[in-house]
Amino acid sequence: MNFTILRFDSIDSTNLEAIRQAQMGANEGVCVVARQQTAGRGRHGRTWVSAKDAGLFFSLILRPKFETKFLPLITLMSAVAVFETLRESGLNPDIKWVNDIHIEGKKICGILAETSETKKGLAVIVGIGINLRSENFSPELTGSATSIETETQKPTDIETLMQILTRNLDEFYTLLEGENGTVLILEEWAKRSSYFFGKKVRVKLENEIVLGTTCGLEENGALRIKTKTEGVRIIQAGDVEMVRQI
Ligand code: BTN
């Protein structure tokens, strides 16, 4: 993939800018990066707090060629690429289904993939927020989030981090788009997540809570949970409010 990086000092949201660029015809591989976001977007309509230089705020435009039923796998592919990036930075990450990256139970990265219909066809925007410094966390995040600087006790070189990230995104997106790619990316995800099998979880859906033990993924990345009373329940990525360890 040919990467083109568009840099901003401050922007509403790198995902929104990437959607605007895709609408104007930007090619696959165009990335938007900002030092600060004034309206950073998180999953489920939440805000992603994005103070200046406190995180890597990065969005990549993809124009996937595979069947739309496999689109959720782009999120899993991105989680694998971030996992490898953090591992190369000296950390020991885990992927919490479906796409949060944790270090010893604390969130260090969130991923928000969004789709947009454009004149050139469907574009998928992969938005990645990696915490570089912890000092700007709001009080409710302090116990549950961490950052590269807190974990390594060293300042992060954002340019090096971005180079490693784009290399890994290129590698795993090529794998996903290639022969048997949807199966192979699930295998790569499974190797890097303690949530793949045998994890006791509590999933909060809109109107119910599902308790059970994880037992693998469906072909589109949905999570299988073995419950005591209802057999195996399939949790689609869009359904989940949160997955907690119990
Ligand atoms: C989550 O809620 O866990 C997902 C957070 C995703 C945040 C990133 S930061 C870069 C990109 N731009 C946004 O507005 N959101 C994503």
Side-chain angles (χ1 to χ4, degrees):
M1 193 180 338
N2 284 326
F3 289 101
T4 306
I5 307 218
L6 308 176
R7 292 166 197 271
F8 294 82
D9 230 35
S10 178
I11 201 158
D12 48 359
S13 149
T14 56
N15 266 28
L16 285 177
E17 179 59 23
I19 291 171
R20 291 188 287 262
Q21 293 287 339
Q23 295 288 341
M24 290 188 291
N27 288 331
E28 180 163 273
V30 169
C31 305
V32 179
V33 182
R35 291 178 66 190
Q36 176 188 17
Q37 297 185 114
T38 53
R41 286 143 72 97
R43 298 184 69 214
H44 306 293
R46 285 190 285 257
T47 301
W48 187 257
V49 178
S50 311
K52 196 157 205 159
D53 298 326
L56 173 63
F57 311 120
F58 173 97
S59 300
L60 164 66
I61 298 174
L62 296 174
R63 296 191 177 273
K65 291 167 209 68
F66 48 78
E67 284 178 78
T68 49
K69 69 173 179 178
F70 291 120
L71 284 179
L73 294 180
I74 289 184
T75 302
L76 281 82
M77 176 284 293
S78 311
V80 170
V82 172
F83 178 105
E84 279 308 304
T85 302
L86 294 176
R87 206 183 47 75
E88 286 184 47
S89 308
L91 301 177
N92 183 20
D94 185 21
I95 307 176
K96 177 179 169 228
W97 189 85
V98 56
N99 57 359
D100 283 350
I101 314 295
H102 280 204
I103 308 283
E104 285 173 15
K106 291 187 175 185
K107 181 160 166 173
I108 195 165
C109 170
I111 300 171
L112 175 66
E114 303 188 84
T115 55
S116 177
E117 270 304 339
T118 75
K119 280 177 280 185
K120 286 181 162 179
L122 186 80
V124 177
I125 311 303
V126 178
I128 298 175
I130 302 180
N131 301 329
L132 301 180
R133 304 202 326 252
S134 302
E135 66 206 46
N136 291 298
F137 288 162
S138 52
E140 69 269 21
L141 279 182
T142 309
S144 59
T146 190
S147 65
I148 297 187
E149 210 168 290
T150 302
E151 295 298 324
T152 61
Q153 297 293 310
K154 279 187 273 179
T156 316
D157 178 24
I158 193 162
E159 291 304 317
T160 310
L161 187 72
M162 213 155 54
Q163 264 175 27
I164 304 174
L165 178 63
T166 47
R167 172 172 38 79
N168 283 312
L169 283 166
D170 194 17
E171 177 181 338
F172 290 104
Y173 185 57
T174 304
L175 183 74
L176 175 59
E177 287 256 281
E179 196 182 333
N180 214 17
T182 57
V183 172
L184 295 175
I185 210 71
L186 287 170
E187 286 173 12
E188 295 297 336
W189 189 96
K191 277 192 254 175
R192 293 171 176 84
S193 175
S194 69
Y195 279 75
F196 178 61
F197 207 88
K199 182 88 136 191
K200 288 195 170 140
V201 292
R202 174 180 182 275
V203 180
K204 196 170 158 219
L205 303 178
E206 210 177 336
N207 295 315
E208 65 172 325
I209 287 175
V210 179
L211 292 174
T213 307
T214 63
C215 59
L217 299 181
E218 295 284 290
E219 62 169 13
N220 70 347
L223 183 66
R224 294 164 54 85
I225 296 183
K226 196 166 179 217
T227 66
K228 281 211 173 100
T229 49
E230 300 167 295
V232 173
R233 292 278 306 262
I234 311 290
I235 313 291
Q236 300 294 336
D239 293 341
V240 176
E241 189 48 37
M242 65 179 130
V243 181
R244 282 229 181 109
Q245 197 177 348
I246 50 173

